[in-house]
Amino acid sequence: MKWDWNAVSDFMPYFWQGLLVTLQVVALGSVLSFSLGLVWALLMRAPSRWVRWPVGAVTEFVRDTPLLVQLFFLFYVLPEWGVTFSALTTGVFAIGLHYSTYTMQVYRAGIEAVPVGQWEAATALSLPRHRIWTAVVLPQALRRVIPALGNYVIAMLKDTPLLMVITVLEMLGRARLFSQANFQFTEPLTVIGAAFIVLSYLASLLLRALERRLAR
């Protein structure tokens, strides 16, 4: 089969539109997953088991069910109960919620890695509990976990094509739309594959640079 550069040129407007949606989903999903994951991690350290048990059950359920099933549930089932969001909002929320259960484990590992002496010193200084967390524990924990959190950004990027099932036209969705309209599949799918490789590689380079900077 001959490579058709005209098809690539015709596809590029679709590609840029899909890329914008993909980056938007990844950015907003990352903010949500990082924020919610920290909340889960802090709640799992609550003194009361009546807080820990429900949080543990919810996060375990979300982590153990496929993201695709969650997307279908949020987009097709919730409207039957009167809860309706746009496809893009649903996709961002689903990805953010799903990956927050993984970032929670990263935060927990980072918190547990803080030396016991730091906790004891802060307690000996009679610091309020919220000051112990905000001034002593979390700054050290976050420094340790940022590179690991970045790996989930790459994972979210590679999961964005799943949003096509709820009508979000990210990169692969735009490629599919173009291919069906023009009966040309090789060029758009090759461009999309190359785009994912480039984006993932650039993200990994940024993570390595960040890891080296934090190690200083």
Side-chain angles (χ1 to χ4, degrees), residues 32-33 36-37 40 95-105:
L32 180 59
S33 67
L36 194 54
W40 295 140
I95 283 185
L97 175 63
H98 185 80
Y99 277 96
S100 72
T101 61
Y102 292 96
T103 59
M104 175 192 75
Q105 300 295 349

Side-chain angles (χ1 to χ4, degrees), residues 115-188:
V116 176
Q118 298 289 322
W119 295 85
E120 294 174 346
T123 303
L125 291 173
S126 300
L127 291 178
R129 186 172 179 82
H130 73 276
R131 284 290 295 165
I132 293 176
W133 280 101
T134 58
V136 179
V137 177
L138 288 181
Q140 296 183 63
L142 293 177
R143 183 185 180 91
R144 291 180 169 88
V145 304
I146 285 178
L149 292 177
N151 291 329
Y152 286 111
V153 175
I154 298 176
M156 279 185 265
L157 170 66
K158 292 189 289 187
D159 272 347
T160 53
L162 294 176
L163 272 59
M164 185 171 53
V165 302
I166 59 170
T167 72
V168 176
L169 294 179
E170 38 62 67
M171 288 195 294
L172 185 59
R174 292 287 178 179
R176 181 170 177 266
L177 187 66
F178 175 86
S179 298
Q180 291 177 339
N182 297 276
F183 300 101
Q184 292 173 305
F185 295 88
T186 302
E187 292 82 6

Side-chain angles (χ1 to χ4, degrees), residues 166-214:
I166 59 170
T167 72
V168 176
L169 294 179
E170 38 62 67
M171 288 195 294
L172 185 59
R174 292 287 178 179
R176 181 170 177 266
L177 187 66
F178 175 86
S179 298
Q180 291 177 339
N182 297 276
F183 300 101
Q184 292 173 305
F185 295 88
T186 302
E187 292 82 6
L189 292 178
T190 301
V191 170
I192 294 302
F196 273 108
I197 292 173
V198 171
L199 290 173
S200 298
Y201 181 67
L202 291 176
S204 66
L205 290 179
L206 290 174
L207 286 175
R208 291 174 196 168
L210 180 60
E211 191 170 1
R212 287 194 298 267
R213 183 178 181 85
L214 293 176

